[in-house]
Amino acid sequence: MRKFWISLILVTLSMPAIALADGRSDYRANCASCHSAYPNGYPDFEKAKAMKVSLKQLSLSASEMSRDEMIMITEKGKGVMPGFKGKLAKEQITGIVDYIISAVKKK
Ligand code: HEC
């Protein structure tokens, strides 16, 4: 019985870690407001205009960056885009980037 309670506690404790690594919901919470609801969706024209960038710059499906470059941009930011280092854990950032890559993959 003691083992049961210990494993129950361990399972409960590990749940936030699983939630943290959920790239899709982290994308929705942190990136969707500028980059559209889905990484392969069309960004909002008015938003792009307000930030003085082109739709192509906002469109993650048009990005030719490698995974490493995307991680770096997400950490440091680019132009009007804020950097997320310190706001998101490294695993969250890599989780988001992996989600973006899997969502925009054409092949
Ligand atoms: C405040 C709006 C805003 C938010 C929020 C935002 N971005 Fe951006 N992002 C931009 C803008 C604007 C650019 C284009 C910057 C430029 O080219 O000067 C950009 C560019 C990028 C690029 C580079 C694409 C390329 O090929 O040039 C990546 C990758 C990126 N964002 C990922 C993310 C991720 C991941 C998140 C969430 C963690 C995020 N962005 C949140 C506005 C935002």
Side-chain angles (χ1 to χ4, degrees):
M1 200 58 195
R2 228 184 95 180
K3 264 201 179 135
F4 169 77
W5 288 113
I6 290 172
S7 33
L8 189 70
I9 290 166
L10 287 179
V11 166
T12 316
L13 285 178
S14 64
M15 291 223 268
I18 293 165
L20 277 180
D22 185 350
R24 192 162 147 211
S25 53
D26 284 337
Y27 173 87
R28 290 223 178 119
N30 298 287
C31 323
S33 60
C34 293
H35 287 287
S36 91
Y38 298 95
N40 55 348
Y42 292 103
D44 188 87
F45 178 69
E46 294 300 326
K47 241 171 226 161
K49 212 167 87 177
M51 291 192 286
K52 297 189 167 74
V53 292
S54 69
L55 281 178
K56 187 165 185 282
Q57 277 172 292
L58 262 192
S59 166
L60 292 175
S61 58
S63 176
E64 281 155 18
M65 285 188 178
S66 68
R67 181 177 186 270
D68 284 349
E69 285 169 320
M70 280 198 186
I71 291 172
M72 199 189 81
I73 293 298
T74 307
E75 285 179 340
K76 293 193 176 158
K78 186 182 179 194
V80 289
M81 173 179 155
F84 286 85
K85 198 180 179 141
K87 281 184 229 156
L88 295 173
K90 179 86 183 175
E91 308 83 70
Q92 286 180 293
I93 292 178
T94 52
I96 292 172
V97 168
D98 285 336
Y99 164 63
I100 292 172
I101 291 170
S102 71
V104 302
K105 214 167 239 165
K106 282 147 204 152
K107 286 167 246 160

Short mmCIF file of all heavy atoms in Angstrom, two decimals, residues 26-27 30-35 51 53-54 56-60 62-65 69-71 73-74 78-82 84 88 93 96-97 100, ligand 1:
data_model
loop_
_atom_site.label_atom_id
_atom_site.label_comp_id
_atom_site.label_asym_id
_atom_site.label_seq_id
_atom_site.Cartn_x
_atom_site.Cartn_y
_atom_site.Cartn_z
N ASP A 26 1.93 25.52 -25.54
CA ASP A 26 2.87 26.63 -25.32
C ASP A 26 2.90 27.56 -26.53
O ASP A 26 3.01 28.77 -26.38
CB ASP A 26 4.28 26.10 -25.04
CG ASP A 26 4.42 25.55 -23.61
OD1 ASP A 26 3.62 25.96 -22.75
OD2 ASP A 26 5.30 24.73 -23.37
N TYR A 27 2.79 26.98 -27.73
CA TYR A 27 2.73 27.81 -28.93
C TYR A 27 1.49 28.69 -28.88
O TYR A 27 1.55 29.90 -29.09
CB TYR A 27 2.69 26.94 -30.20
CG TYR A 27 2.46 27.76 -31.45
CD1 TYR A 27 3.53 28.33 -32.13
CD2 TYR A 27 1.16 28.00 -31.92
CE1 TYR A 27 3.31 29.12 -33.26
CE2 TYR A 27 0.94 28.79 -33.04
CZ TYR A 27 2.02 29.35 -33.71
OH TYR A 27 1.81 30.14 -34.81
N ASN A 30 1.91 31.51 -26.31
CA ASN A 30 2.99 32.50 -26.44
C ASN A 30 3.24 33.03 -27.83
O ASN A 30 3.83 34.11 -27.98
CB ASN A 30 4.30 31.90 -25.92
CG ASN A 30 4.23 31.53 -24.46
OD1 ASN A 30 4.24 32.40 -23.60
ND2 ASN A 30 4.11 30.24 -24.17
N CYS A 31 2.86 32.32 -28.85
CA CYS A 31 3.25 32.68 -30.21
C CYS A 31 2.06 32.98 -31.12
O CYS A 31 2.16 33.76 -32.05
CB CYS A 31 4.07 31.56 -30.85
SG CYS A 31 5.19 30.73 -29.72
N ALA A 32 0.93 32.33 -30.83
CA ALA A 32 -0.22 32.40 -31.74
C ALA A 32 -0.73 33.82 -31.93
O ALA A 32 -1.20 34.17 -33.01
CB ALA A 32 -1.35 31.50 -31.22
N SER A 33 -0.61 34.67 -30.90
CA SER A 33 -1.14 36.02 -31.00
C SER A 33 -0.51 36.78 -32.16
O SER A 33 -1.14 37.63 -32.77
CB SER A 33 -0.94 36.78 -29.69
OG SER A 33 0.43 36.86 -29.39
N CYS A 34 0.73 36.49 -32.49
CA CYS A 34 1.37 37.17 -33.63
C CYS A 34 1.48 36.26 -34.85
O CYS A 34 1.32 36.70 -35.97
CB CYS A 34 2.78 37.62 -33.26
SG CYS A 34 2.82 38.91 -32.01
N HIS A 35 1.75 34.98 -34.62
CA HIS A 35 2.07 34.10 -35.75
C HIS A 35 0.88 33.27 -36.24
O HIS A 35 1.08 32.29 -36.94
CB HIS A 35 3.20 33.14 -35.37
CG HIS A 35 4.53 33.82 -35.29
ND1 HIS A 35 5.23 34.23 -36.38
CD2 HIS A 35 5.29 34.17 -34.21
CE1 HIS A 35 6.37 34.79 -36.00
NE2 HIS A 35 6.43 34.77 -34.69
N MET A 51 2.84 45.92 -36.90
CA MET A 51 4.22 45.69 -36.46
C MET A 51 5.24 46.07 -37.53
O MET A 51 6.43 45.90 -37.34
CB MET A 51 4.40 44.21 -36.06
CG MET A 51 3.65 43.85 -34.80
SD MET A 51 4.13 42.24 -34.13
CE MET A 51 3.34 41.13 -35.26
N VAL A 53 5.86 44.65 -40.39
CA VAL A 53 6.58 43.54 -41.02
C VAL A 53 5.68 42.96 -42.12
O VAL A 53 4.49 43.23 -42.15
CB VAL A 53 6.96 42.41 -40.01
CG1 VAL A 53 8.00 42.89 -39.02
CG2 VAL A 53 5.73 41.87 -39.30
N SER A 54 6.28 42.20 -43.01
CA SER A 54 5.48 41.59 -44.07
C SER A 54 4.83 40.31 -43.55
O SER A 54 5.25 39.76 -42.54
CB SER A 54 6.38 41.26 -45.27
OG SER A 54 7.25 40.21 -44.92
N LYS A 56 5.06 37.54 -44.92
CA LYS A 56 6.05 36.47 -45.06
C LYS A 56 6.95 36.39 -43.82
O LYS A 56 7.29 35.31 -43.36
CB LYS A 56 6.88 36.70 -46.32
CG LYS A 56 7.81 35.54 -46.63
CD LYS A 56 8.35 35.60 -48.05
CE LYS A 56 9.17 34.37 -48.38
NZ LYS A 56 10.52 34.40 -47.81
N GLN A 57 7.32 37.57 -43.30
CA GLN A 57 8.17 37.58 -42.10
C GLN A 57 7.46 36.93 -40.91
O GLN A 57 8.09 36.33 -40.05
CB GLN A 57 8.56 39.01 -41.73
CG GLN A 57 9.74 39.55 -42.51
CD GLN A 57 9.93 41.03 -42.23
OE1 GLN A 57 9.11 41.85 -42.61
NE2 GLN A 57 10.99 41.36 -41.53
N LEU A 58 6.13 37.10 -40.86
CA LEU A 58 5.36 36.55 -39.74
C LEU A 58 4.99 35.09 -39.96
O LEU A 58 4.65 34.38 -39.01
CB LEU A 58 4.06 37.34 -39.57
CG LEU A 58 4.00 38.43 -38.52
CD1 LEU A 58 2.56 38.86 -38.33
CD2 LEU A 58 4.59 38.00 -37.19
N SER A 59 5.02 34.67 -41.21
CA SER A 59 4.57 33.31 -41.51
C SER A 59 5.65 32.29 -41.20
O SER A 59 6.71 32.27 -41.81
CB SER A 59 4.19 33.24 -42.99
OG SER A 59 4.07 31.90 -43.37
N LEU A 60 5.38 31.43 -40.24
CA LEU A 60 6.39 30.44 -39.86
C LEU A 60 6.51 29.35 -40.91
O LEU A 60 7.55 28.72 -41.04
CB LEU A 60 6.06 29.85 -38.49
CG LEU A 60 6.20 30.86 -37.34
CD1 LEU A 60 5.74 30.24 -36.04
CD2 LEU A 60 7.63 31.36 -37.21
N ALA A 62 6.66 29.93 -43.97
CA ALA A 62 7.54 30.46 -45.02
C ALA A 62 8.99 30.50 -44.54
O ALA A 62 9.90 30.79 -45.31
CB ALA A 62 7.09 31.86 -45.42
N SER A 63 9.21 30.22 -43.27
CA SER A 63 10.56 30.31 -42.72
C SER A 63 11.49 29.25 -43.29
O SER A 63 11.10 28.11 -43.49
CB SER A 63 10.50 30.17 -41.20
OG SER A 63 11.80 30.15 -40.67
N GLU A 64 12.71 29.68 -43.58
CA GLU A 64 13.69 28.71 -44.08
C GLU A 64 14.72 28.40 -43.02
O GLU A 64 15.79 27.85 -43.30
CB GLU A 64 14.35 29.28 -45.35
CG GLU A 64 13.47 29.11 -46.57
CD GLU A 64 13.75 30.11 -47.66
OE1 GLU A 64 14.84 30.73 -47.63
OE2 GLU A 64 12.88 30.28 -48.53
N MET A 65 14.41 28.75 -41.80
CA MET A 65 15.37 28.53 -40.72
C MET A 65 15.48 27.07 -40.32
O MET A 65 14.51 26.32 -40.42
CB MET A 65 14.93 29.32 -39.49
CG MET A 65 15.19 30.78 -39.63
SD MET A 65 14.85 31.61 -38.09
CE MET A 65 15.32 33.26 -38.58
N GLU A 69 18.35 27.50 -35.56
CA GLU A 69 18.14 28.94 -35.76
C GLU A 69 16.81 29.39 -35.13
O GLU A 69 16.74 30.44 -34.51
CB GLU A 69 18.14 29.27 -37.26
CG GLU A 69 19.52 29.25 -37.88
CD GLU A 69 19.47 29.32 -39.41
OE1 GLU A 69 18.59 28.67 -40.02
OE2 GLU A 69 20.31 30.03 -39.97
N MET A 70 15.78 28.56 -35.32
CA MET A 70 14.48 28.90 -34.73
C MET A 70 14.56 28.97 -33.22
O MET A 70 13.97 29.85 -32.59
CB MET A 70 13.43 27.85 -35.13
CG MET A 70 12.88 28.03 -36.51
SD MET A 70 11.33 27.11 -36.62
CE MET A 70 10.98 27.31 -38.35
N ILE A 71 15.28 28.03 -32.63
CA ILE A 71 15.45 28.03 -31.17
C ILE A 71 16.16 29.32 -30.74
O ILE A 71 15.75 30.00 -29.79
CB ILE A 71 16.22 26.77 -30.70
CG1 ILE A 71 15.35 25.53 -30.91
CG2 ILE A 71 16.65 26.90 -29.24
CD1 ILE A 71 16.06 24.20 -30.67
N ILE A 73 16.30 32.26 -32.35
CA ILE A 73 15.43 33.42 -32.53
C ILE A 73 14.38 33.48 -31.42
O ILE A 73 14.09 34.55 -30.88
CB ILE A 73 14.73 33.37 -33.92
CG1 ILE A 73 15.74 33.54 -35.05
CG2 ILE A 73 13.62 34.43 -34.02
CD1 ILE A 73 16.48 34.84 -35.06
N THR A 74 13.83 32.31 -31.07
CA THR A 74 12.82 32.29 -30.02
C THR A 74 13.42 32.74 -28.69
O THR A 74 12.79 33.44 -27.91
CB THR A 74 12.20 30.88 -29.90
OG1 THR A 74 11.76 30.46 -31.19
CG2 THR A 74 11.02 30.87 -28.94
N LYS A 78 13.62 38.81 -32.44
CA LYS A 78 14.08 39.34 -33.72
C LYS A 78 13.24 40.56 -34.04
O LYS A 78 12.01 40.47 -34.08
CB LYS A 78 13.91 38.27 -34.81
CG LYS A 78 14.49 38.65 -36.15
CD LYS A 78 14.25 37.56 -37.17
CE LYS A 78 14.83 37.97 -38.52
NZ LYS A 78 14.34 37.13 -39.62
N GLY A 79 13.87 41.70 -34.27
CA GLY A 79 13.11 42.92 -34.55
C GLY A 79 12.11 43.22 -33.45
O GLY A 79 12.47 43.29 -32.28
N VAL A 80 10.83 43.30 -33.82
CA VAL A 80 9.80 43.61 -32.81
C VAL A 80 9.38 42.38 -32.01
O VAL A 80 8.63 42.49 -31.04
CB VAL A 80 8.53 44.24 -33.45
CG1 VAL A 80 8.81 45.64 -33.92
CG2 VAL A 80 7.99 43.37 -34.57
N MET A 81 9.86 41.21 -32.42
CA MET A 81 9.50 40.02 -31.64
C MET A 81 10.35 39.93 -30.37
O MET A 81 11.56 40.03 -30.44
CB MET A 81 9.71 38.76 -32.49
CG MET A 81 9.52 37.49 -31.67
SD MET A 81 9.75 36.03 -32.69
CE MET A 81 10.21 34.86 -31.43
N PRO A 82 9.69 39.79 -29.23
CA PRO A 82 10.46 39.69 -27.97
C PRO A 82 11.16 38.35 -27.85
O PRO A 82 10.71 37.37 -28.43
CB PRO A 82 9.38 39.83 -26.89
CG PRO A 82 8.14 39.28 -27.52
CD PRO A 82 8.23 39.62 -29.00
N PHE A 84 12.26 35.02 -25.69
CA PHE A 84 11.54 34.28 -24.66
C PHE A 84 12.45 33.61 -23.65
O PHE A 84 12.00 32.87 -22.79
CB PHE A 84 10.61 33.25 -25.31
CG PHE A 84 9.40 33.89 -25.94
CD1 PHE A 84 9.45 34.39 -27.23
CD2 PHE A 84 8.22 34.03 -25.23
CE1 PHE A 84 8.34 35.00 -27.80
CE2 PHE A 84 7.11 34.63 -25.78
CZ PHE A 84 7.17 35.12 -27.08
N LEU A 88 10.36 31.42 -20.83
CA LEU A 88 10.02 30.02 -21.06
C LEU A 88 11.25 29.18 -20.76
O LEU A 88 12.37 29.61 -21.00
CB LEU A 88 9.59 29.80 -22.51
CG LEU A 88 8.31 30.48 -23.00
CD1 LEU A 88 8.14 30.29 -24.49
CD2 LEU A 88 7.10 29.94 -22.26
N ILE A 93 10.83 25.91 -25.09
CA ILE A 93 11.21 26.51 -26.37
C ILE A 93 11.49 25.42 -27.41
O ILE A 93 10.96 25.49 -28.52
CB ILE A 93 12.43 27.45 -26.17
CG1 ILE A 93 11.98 28.67 -25.34
CG2 ILE A 93 13.01 27.88 -27.53
CD1 ILE A 93 13.07 29.66 -25.01
N ILE A 96 8.18 23.92 -28.45
CA ILE A 96 7.43 24.77 -29.38
C ILE A 96 8.02 24.65 -30.78
O ILE A 96 7.30 24.48 -31.76
CB ILE A 96 7.45 26.25 -28.92
CG1 ILE A 96 6.66 26.42 -27.62
CG2 ILE A 96 6.88 27.16 -30.01
CD1 ILE A 96 6.78 27.81 -26.99
N VAL A 97 9.35 24.75 -30.87
CA VAL A 97 10.00 24.70 -32.19
C VAL A 97 9.75 23.35 -32.86
O VAL A 97 9.43 23.28 -34.05
CB VAL A 97 11.51 25.02 -32.07
CG1 VAL A 97 12.25 24.69 -33.37
CG2 VAL A 97 11.71 26.49 -31.71
N ILE A 100 6.29 23.47 -34.19
CA ILE A 100 6.22 24.29 -35.42
C ILE A 100 6.73 23.47 -36.61
O ILE A 100 6.07 23.39 -37.65
CB ILE A 100 7.07 25.58 -35.27
CG1 ILE A 100 6.43 26.51 -34.23
CG2 ILE A 100 7.21 26.31 -36.62
CD1 ILE A 100 7.28 27.71 -33.86
C1 HEC B 1 4.71 40.28 -30.50
C2 HEC B 1 4.53 39.41 -31.63
C3 HEC B 1 5.30 38.10 -31.68
C4 HEC B 1 5.25 37.06 -30.80
C5 HEC B 1 4.43 36.97 -29.51
C6 HEC B 1 6.11 36.03 -31.33
N1 HEC B 1 6.67 36.44 -32.49
FE1 HEC B 1 7.97 35.38 -33.67
N2 HEC B 1 8.15 36.97 -34.89
C7 HEC B 1 7.45 38.16 -34.81
C8 HEC B 1 7.85 39.04 -35.88
C9 HEC B 1 7.32 40.44 -36.12
C10 HEC B 1 8.82 38.34 -36.63
C11 HEC B 1 9.58 38.84 -37.85
C12 HEC B 1 10.80 39.58 -37.35
C13 HEC B 1 11.67 40.09 -38.45
O1 HEC B 1 11.83 39.40 -39.47
O2 HEC B 1 12.19 41.19 -38.27
C14 HEC B 1 8.99 37.05 -35.99
C15 HEC B 1 9.86 36.07 -36.43
C16 HEC B 1 9.97 34.80 -35.91
C17 HEC B 1 10.85 33.77 -36.39
C18 HEC B 1 11.81 33.89 -37.55
C19 HEC B 1 11.22 33.40 -38.83
C20 HEC B 1 12.15 33.68 -40.00
O3 HEC B 1 12.40 32.75 -40.78
O4 HEC B 1 12.65 34.81 -40.11
C21 HEC B 1 10.67 32.68 -35.62
C22 HEC B 1 11.33 31.32 -35.74
C23 HEC B 1 9.66 33.03 -34.63
N3 HEC B 1 9.26 34.33 -34.82
C24 HEC B 1 9.19 32.18 -33.66
C25 HEC B 1 8.34 32.58 -32.61
C26 HEC B 1 7.97 31.70 -31.53
C27 HEC B 1 8.39 30.27 -31.39
C28 HEC B 1 7.17 32.45 -30.71
C29 HEC B 1 6.54 32.02 -29.38
C30 HEC B 1 7.42 31.48 -28.38
C31 HEC B 1 7.05 33.78 -31.28
N4 HEC B 1 7.78 33.81 -32.44
C32 HEC B 1 6.31 34.80 -30.72
C33 HEC B 1 6.52 38.47 -33.85
C34 HEC B 1 6.20 37.71 -32.75
#
